[in-house]
Amino acid sequence: MPTAVPPGPTSAVDVHLAFEEDRMGYLRDLAERYGDVVRVGERAWLVNDPGAARHVLQTTGTEFTTVSDFLGRSVPARRYDSHHQAAINGVHALLARWATAPRLSRIQEHVRRLLPAGEGILDPLPLGRRIGVALATEACLGQPDPKVEQDSVRLLDTLLPKLSSPWLLPGWVPTPRNLRLARRDATLTRRFTKVPTAPDAWGQDTIRTLLRRRSPAELGFSTATDTWIKKLLLASQEPTGAAPAWALHRMLTAPEWLARVESEVADVDPLGAELTDPLRQLPVTSAVVFESLRLHPPTWLISRRVLVETDLCGFPASPGQIIYLSPWLLHQNAEAYPDPLAFRPDRWLDPQQRKRSQQGYFAFSRGPHSCPGRLPSLALTVCLVGALVRRYELTSDGGQVGTDARRSMLPVGVRLRIRPRPATPPADQTAGTRRSRGDR
């Protein structure tokens, strides 16, 4: 086993201060200066090699484990047992069903219900959040519940400033923020536990019924079904808000791709009954979404804890060490993505380029702890972006667009001027009247 230590700054205090000053810029500078593996303080490394990153993520649960949950609470440093992994697999499989017919119709209905009614200024970030939490509520509980959705948004709005702060106080410290967070957490739990347990609209499992068949010990680090549901309700919001916002922003800065999406959705209605597989039937819109997520992955920094001694790019990682991976940095690898800083959706349209691009893609993480909502989130984003392009003339309001990377990679200042297209009939009038290109 090699004995070398990776290069990089050794003072945890200096690393912390520099990171808080410019989070994304600091990590990029470290990668450019030190290479594939960077020491950041005494017990943490930043890994920038795609192969090593895949290994870390795909062996989470055996060689590595997560450091904290979505609520910012630390988790035990132990391997996943078969029961815990089976619970994770069950949630992944159930959510994957929402990306295709017949459950896809519910995504379309949520998009249709929340689309703006007329001309005006649109901020797509909160629109995507509302649709995401509505979908997660229905997947978890088997039915829509506006009050659960509202309380989920309030809890996340209270939680994010705490998680984004460099100075975290334990939850038991009675600060005004901690007390408010505890109240809203209890309110959400009471709200959704009152919803009757029942199958979904198709007579099959919801996430709640799936998990309630397992004992708390089988659920692993999260000891209650309610905790799992709460995590999914919160985790559904930021990515489903950021993804369409970034995609729309990128299209408006690349008019040729906006024109190609307009042509595609004129032929295949993203909210029509003929749509059964958005990623296949709307390939151009999907390519725009994939490329936007490559440049702006909402989860841009991932952490893992080493469980067993292992080798990373020739350096020995010992149990207890923290490993950081940045999908944002990994997506700038020139071998996987020639001209990596350019917005090039064509990477995802050519089969050979797509295969190479997928090897270095970490927008939804990888392995046992990858995002369980990956497929429905992609389907939702494609449907929402396509529906907006089909139904409205879109222009930017001209404001400066920035990035808020305190937790997720969120766009700041994406505001669109929208004007309904007079020649576009409502979705319910066009449903079933057009055929997808894949059926021709």
Side-chain angles (χ1 to χ4, degrees), residues 136-143 145 148 192 195-196 198-199 206-208 229:
T137 299
E138 192 165 345
C140 287
L141 306 180
Q143 59 189 30
D145 193 309
V148 169
F192 69 70
V195 178
T206 63
I207 289 175
R208 177 195 258 178
I229 293 175

Side-chain angles (χ1 to χ4, degrees), residues 105-330:
S105 64
R106 296 300 302 146
I107 292 180
Q108 293 172 307
E109 178 56 34
H110 286 306
V111 173
R112 186 181 296 110
R113 175 173 61 88
L114 292 173
L115 281 178
E119 183 175 350
I121 300 293
L122 172 67
D123 183 348
L125 182 62
L127 174 62
R129 280 187 65 185
R130 290 178 64 193
I131 299 172
V133 74
L135 175 62
T137 299
E138 192 165 345
C140 287
L141 306 180
Q143 59 189 30
D145 193 309
K147 292 183 178 179
V148 169
E149 297 167 21
Q150 185 180 58
D151 287 336
S152 300
V153 171
R154 286 176 176 171
L155 177 58
L156 184 63
D157 287 342
T158 306
L159 179 66
L160 284 178
K162 177 180 178 179
L163 296 181
S164 302
S165 170
W167 314 111
L168 290 178
L169 291 175
W172 54 264
V173 179
T175 64
R177 179 176 292 164
N178 281 344
L179 293 173
R180 185 165 61 252
L181 181 61
R183 288 194 301 270
R184 291 189 171 176
D185 180 58
T187 297
L188 175 60
T189 302
R190 284 196 304 269
R191 183 82 70 189
F192 69 70
T193 52
K194 291 180 180 178
V195 178
T197 301
D200 65 17
W202 297 272
Q204 297 183 8
D205 276 339
T206 63
I207 289 175
R208 177 195 258 178
T209 56
L210 173 77
L211 295 176
R212 280 194 170 180
R213 290 201 296 270
R214 299 184 176 275
S215 68
E218 290 178 334
L219 297 182
F221 310 148
S222 300
T223 57
T225 298
D226 293 347
T227 304
W228 280 63
I229 293 175
K230 210 166 352 184
K231 288 179 183 179
L232 289 168
L233 291 173
L234 297 180
S236 66
Q237 298 180 49
E238 285 193 309
T240 53
W246 282 122
L248 290 162
H249 167 64
R250 281 290 181 171
M251 271 198 303
L252 291 178
T253 62
E256 68 276 15
W257 285 102
L258 177 59
R260 291 184 65 174
V261 171
E262 287 175 340
S263 175
E264 180 174 79
V265 299
D267 188 54
V268 181
D269 187 353
L271 302 185
E274 75 275 18
L275 191 74
T276 58
D277 187 345
L279 301 186
R280 180 182 64 85
Q281 292 172 264
L282 297 171
V284 176
T285 310
S286 299
V288 166
V289 170
F290 273 105
E291 181 70 352
S292 299
L293 288 172
R294 184 187 70 82
L295 292 168
H296 310 281
T299 302
W300 71 278
L301 189 61
I302 299 170
S303 59
R304 294 289 185 264
R305 181 183 285 113
V306 179
L307 285 175
V308 297
E309 189 166 352
T310 188
D311 175 83
L312 291 174
C313 298
F315 298 104
S318 303
Q321 281 186 305
I322 303 301
I323 304 298
Y324 290 105
L325 315 167
S326 173
W328 175 68
L329 282 176
L330 291 163

